[in-house]
Amino acid sequence: MSGPNVMDGPLRGLRVIDVSTILAGPLCAQILGDFGAEVLKIEHPTAGDGMRGHGRSKDGHSLWWKEISRNKRTLGLSLSDPAGAAILLRLAETADVLVENFRPGTLERWGLGPDRLHEVNPGLVIVRVTGFGQRGPYAGRAGFGTLAEAMSGFAHLTGDADGPPTLPAFGLADSVCGIAASAAAMMALFHRERSPDRRGQVIDMSLLEPLMTAVGTAPTVYDQLGIVETRHGNRSTNNAPRNTYRTADGHWVAVSTSAQAIAERVMRLVGHPEVIDEPWFATGRGRVEHVEELDKMVGEWIGARDREQVLAAFTEAGAAIAPVYDARDIVNDPHIRQTEMITSVPDPDLGALLMHNVMWRMSRTPGRIRFTGRPLGADTDEVLVGELGLDPGEVRALRERRIVA
């Protein structure tokens, strides 16, 4: 996504300060940066950001950091020190968005709460990401994605029926929250642009709430019907057959029959058109009541054929199927490659670096990855001396006191 006629994105000219860490806040800022915003990453001047030690690394370089901090300049700054807090206030004067994920009350304790930030910049949009929100009995608790995955209902509904609740093997709650936070920031900016006073606002974003929404209508079902939904493995309570099935060559495929027509095509394909005429087959819930029977029919047909045969037959029949991919499959899939869902980005440390592309395609302002995550303090002098006008000697003194890096 580059070339002489491609703009950096629709957010070009927007200034974002990212003082958040692992993982939702940084993802929110990454998305804004991917679409053209100028993002300044603030991290601890000696320890650096926690994401630098997260996940796998190569030659001492965190691979996750390279992606989550792409399109972000970096400044090492101690916010707990009054001198560092004063610098952040100066940076906030010209910013549009600030993203933070400290425990409630932390910024206020440092003299950097929303009231103070809005004194220096009334138009600033402040995105506050926490585990459970800024108020309520759990507000002061440590907030991690695992806790939200447990409390949202996700873990309760995930796993085999006779097995334990199952947590995801990746940052699900953080990722859902980060995407939601980027949308919330844009809503606040849209409101600011249409308001006569052009004032910003504070966004109270928890890890818990977006994932609760993603999990679905379980609270409504309980409220109206008194039913507590339970785990069903890979099956669905709304339609059948819906499961993962193993092919003859040891691969797995996923089949969905959310639409009635698709369910009929699947059963014709696997050699059991007779069930289509059964009264119970006419609805998803009716098919769920016969899930064992349907799963056996589909599973036996798929299990007798190699994956490529299965995929080709389902595709020709117009039925819904997908292979269960691991990372190797994703990297080598022709559709993912051709549509640039993953892309190769030059990195000064690791050379060509494959990573997820910007998250959606826009016809006029598509956004792009301008550079990968940078070393701690790589842009400190440029920002403090070149933009804020601090004397180089003053910056050296701040470094010696470990207030900046």
Side-chain angles (χ1 to χ4, degrees):
M1 306 195 76
S2 61
N5 297 318
V6 176
M7 295 173 59
D8 277 352
L11 304 184
R12 187 167 59 171
L14 196 76
R15 295 173 64 90
V16 178
I17 299 175
D18 178 10
V19 297
S20 63
T21 187
I22 311 172
L23 166 66
L27 178 57
C28 168
Q30 177 210 303
I31 294 169
L32 300 179
D34 284 351
F35 288 94
E38 175 196 326
V39 182
L40 179 61
K41 175 70 184 177
I42 306 294
E43 49 184 321
H44 193 278
T46 55
D49 189 279
M51 285 301 301
R52 291 186 180 274
H54 236 57
R56 296 187 183 273
S57 62
K58 180 181 179 182
D59 299 336
H61 301 284
S62 165
L63 300 178
W64 207 342
W65 175 263
K66 291 291 186 181
E67 178 167 331
I68 198 70
S69 292
R70 68 193 191 193
N71 294 332
K72 301 178 185 180
R73 296 189 297 164
T74 67
L75 165 63
L77 185 64
S78 175
L79 302 182
S80 62
D81 188 286
I87 290 174
L88 183 71
L89 287 173
R90 289 192 58 185
L91 293 169
E93 290 177 4
T94 57
D96 297 286
V97 179
L98 182 142
V99 184
E100 66 98 1
N101 70 336
F102 296 103
R103 284 200 195 187
T106 301
L107 283 186
E108 286 83 352
R109 189 169 67 250
W110 295 339
L112 295 170
D115 290 347
R116 184 71 183 101
L117 289 167
H118 280 150
E119 281 182 13
V120 301
N121 182 357
L124 184 67
V125 171
I126 305 170
V127 183
R128 312 197 76 176
V129 179
T130 56
F132 303 101
Q134 295 292 320
R135 58 188 181 86
Y138 302 157
R141 291 185 180 181
F144 296 99
T146 298
L147 311 186
E149 289 146 10
M151 293 179 63
S152 64
F154 173 86
H156 171 75
L157 292 174
T158 304
D160 292 332
D162 57 353
T166 302
L167 296 167
F170 56 94
L172 177 64
D174 281 273
S175 298
V176 173
C177 180
I179 297 167
S182 69
M186 296 314 302
M187 290 180 191
L189 290 169
F190 183 75
H191 174 265
R192 186 186 73 177
E193 295 308 302
R194 291 166 60 115
S195 300
D197 60 7
R198 293 183 59 81
R199 292 188 63 85
Q201 57 185 293
V202 178
I203 298 169
D204 184 359
M205 175 67 66
S206 75
L207 294 177
L208 179 59
E209 200 162 1
L211 191 56
M212 282 177 58
T213 300
V215 168
T217 59
T220 305
V221 170
Y222 173 72
D223 173 67
Q224 294 297 307
L225 302 175
I227 296 172
V228 176
E229 303 284 7
T230 57
R231 291 182 290 285
H232 298 277
N234 291 320
R235 290 172 171 170
S236 169
T237 59
N238 299 313
N239 63 81
R242 187 264 200 182
N243 212 329
T244 57
Y245 305 92
R246 192 165 189 168
T247 62
D249 54 349
H251 294 287
W252 290 89
V253 294
V255 172
S256 175
T257 57
S258 296
Q260 180 69 22
I262 298 296
E264 294 175 6
R265 291 172 192 167
V266 169
M267 299 318 297
R268 288 193 186 97
L269 174 63
V270 302
H272 290 280
E274 73 279 1
V275 299
I276 298 171
D277 296 326
E278 295 289 345
W280 51 262
F281 196 87
T283 66
R285 297 290 296 187
R287 296 196 301 275
V288 168
E289 294 175 3
H290 295 261
V291 65
E292 296 292 346
E293 176 184 352
L294 295 172
D295 259 354
K296 185 173 185 294
M297 294 173 179
V298 176
E300 287 180 350
W301 188 91
I302 290 176
R305 293 161 175 80
D306 289 349
R307 181 173 72 173
E308 293 310 312
Q309 291 177 280
V310 171
L311 294 175
F314 266 72
T315 301
E316 184 178 353
I321 193 170
V324 176
Y325 274 178
D326 60 20
R328 184 187 298 106
D329 297 317
I330 293 171
V331 166
N332 292 306
D333 180 88
H335 179 84
I336 291 173
R337 282 289 199 171
Q338 186 174 329
T339 58
E340 297 184 89
M341 293 182 187
I342 54 174
T343 188
S344 184
V345 182
D347 179 78
D349 302 307
L350 301 175
L353 190 61
L354 199 66
M355 63 175 61
H356 300 104
N357 208 338
V358 298
M359 204 173 293
W360 50 81
R361 306 291 176 262
M362 300 180 69
S363 61
R364 296 183 62 189
T365 53
R368 67 186 177 97
I369 303 169
R370 300 183 295 282
F371 51 87
T372 57
R374 292 163 61 73
L376 172 60
D379 304 286
T380 297
D381 288 329
E382 177 184 307
V383 173
L384 298 188
V385 178
E387 297 179 13
L388 293 189
L390 270 64
D391 183 88
E394 183 181 355
V395 175
R396 284 195 298 273
L398 290 170
R399 274 203 180 92
E400 291 172 1
R401 295 166 54 194
R402 297 187 176 182
I403 295 172
V404 304

